[in-house]
Amino acid sequence: DQQVKQNSPSLSVQEGRISILNCDYTNSMFDYFLWYKKYPAEGPTFLISISSIKDKNEDGRFTVFLNKSAKHLSLHIVPSQPGDSAVYFCAASEGDDKIIFGKGTRLHILP
Amino acid sequence: NAGVTQTPKFQVLKTGQSMTLQCAQDMNHEYMSWYRQDPGMGLRLIHYSVGAGITDQGEVPNGYNVSRSTTEDFPLRLLSAAPSQTSVYFCASSYSLFLDRPSSYNSPLHFGNGTRLTVT
């Protein structure tokens, strides 16, 4: 029973364009959402987060949007750069101590 | 600061062998956790701890034991390794997940670089 779903295993985007990564969740009790980025042979690193009391959070080129009614969040990267090529994980927590991750989306930035 | 240190980086075990994956953090983080990453499965939570002396099960705890005798260390024990435990294991830590919630969240998980385990 997958509570955090990233339905696109991979995504290719031209350098300079917008990358949009999507995430859906099933647990309506989730109140915190995070995005992590992972390069090969390294641990994931935190990118950006959003509380359920907000619908948008920005940090430089990265913006996360939350649609609670649709149980959907997305990560926008503008403009996309070659160093953004990585696997992106969506994660959520529900007020206890567990952070549940999705399966990840591999982003390829094309020159 | 070394951050989160995992040892060993690589390990090969035979079925039935036991071993301990080590995880240490030097950031005085209260919260520590173990994840495994498998192809097509993402990161799955094995066990976690909210402080010394306290541990709890995650999504996939079977076949693994943990203990938290100090704030710094959170070892993961495989009592009898099985081929299904072939995976990359990540340890992560943070300040308390309840800190400053819900208005802001400035305590994300810090991950180690992983241990690649193969069980034959």
Side-chain angles (χ1 to χ4, degrees):
Chain A
D1 180 23
Q2 204 183 339
Q3 297 186 72
V4 178
K5 301 177 184 180
Q6 294 178 258
N7 292 321
S8 299
S10 68
L11 174 69
S12 294
V13 174
Q14 209 76 35
E15 182 180 352
R17 307 292 283 267
I18 182 171
S19 295
I20 300 176
L21 294 96
N22 293 305
C23 178
D24 296 295
Y25 60 96
T26 57
N27 186 345
S28 58
M29 300 302 292
F30 282 147
D31 62 350
Y32 236 98
F33 305 90
L34 310 97
W35 284 94
Y36 282 79
K37 175 180 179 179
K38 186 183 181 301
Y39 293 120
E42 294 183 10
T45 55
F46 172 73
L47 207 50
I48 192 168
S49 64
I50 188 167
S51 162
S52 60
I53 64 172
K54 294 185 174 182
D55 54 20
K56 178 182 172 181
N57 189 27
E58 281 183 86
D59 184 0
R61 296 186 298 115
F62 302 93
T63 302
V64 56
F65 295 92
L66 175 62
N67 182 334
K68 287 187 291 293
S69 60
K71 294 193 182 71
H72 176 83
L73 65 155
S74 60
L75 174 68
H76 293 213
I77 306 174
V78 183
S80 300
Q81 298 176 353
D84 296 331
S85 292
V87 177
Y88 289 79
F89 290 100
C90 173
S93 66
E94 65 171 278
D96 60 4
D97 303 306
K98 298 180 220 181
I99 295 183
I100 305 300
F101 284 78
K103 293 184 178 182
T105 296
R106 185 176 298 277
L107 177 64
H108 301 271
I109 303 301
L110 307 171
Chain B
N1 278 356
V4 179
T5 302
Q6 290 185 239
T7 55
K9 286 187 170 54
F10 302 95
Q11 182 71 49
V12 179
L13 289 178
K14 291 190 186 326
T15 297
Q17 286 185 315
S18 62
M19 80 157 295
T20 299
L21 279 62
Q22 302 291 345
C23 175
Q25 52 89 10
D26 61 358
M27 297 173 282
N28 202 29
H29 284 168
E30 298 172 14
Y31 181 91
M32 296 186 75
S33 56
W34 278 100
Y35 289 86
R36 59 178 288 175
Q37 185 189 14
D38 303 293
M41 300 298 292
L43 291 162
R44 292 182 292 171
L45 181 64
I46 304 172
H47 286 285
Y48 64 98
S49 168
V50 299
I54 306 169
T55 63
D56 209 341
Q57 296 182 349
E59 301 170 273
V60 289
N62 293 341
Y64 307 95
N65 277 0
V66 291
S67 60
R68 186 91 181 272
S69 55
T70 67
T71 300
E72 295 78 18
D73 300 298
F74 191 44
L76 179 72
R77 295 186 189 84
L78 284 70
L79 301 177
S80 179
S84 61
Q85 293 178 306
T86 293
S87 188
V88 181
Y89 291 84
F90 289 99
C91 179
S93 72
S94 73
Y95 292 109
S96 169
L97 290 189
F98 293 112
L99 188 67
D100 290 340
R101 299 180 77 214
S103 59
S104 65
Y105 186 67
N106 57 3
S107 180
L109 289 174
H110 297 260
F111 282 84
N113 282 332
T115 293
R116 186 174 293 274
L117 176 68
T118 301
V119 183
T120 61

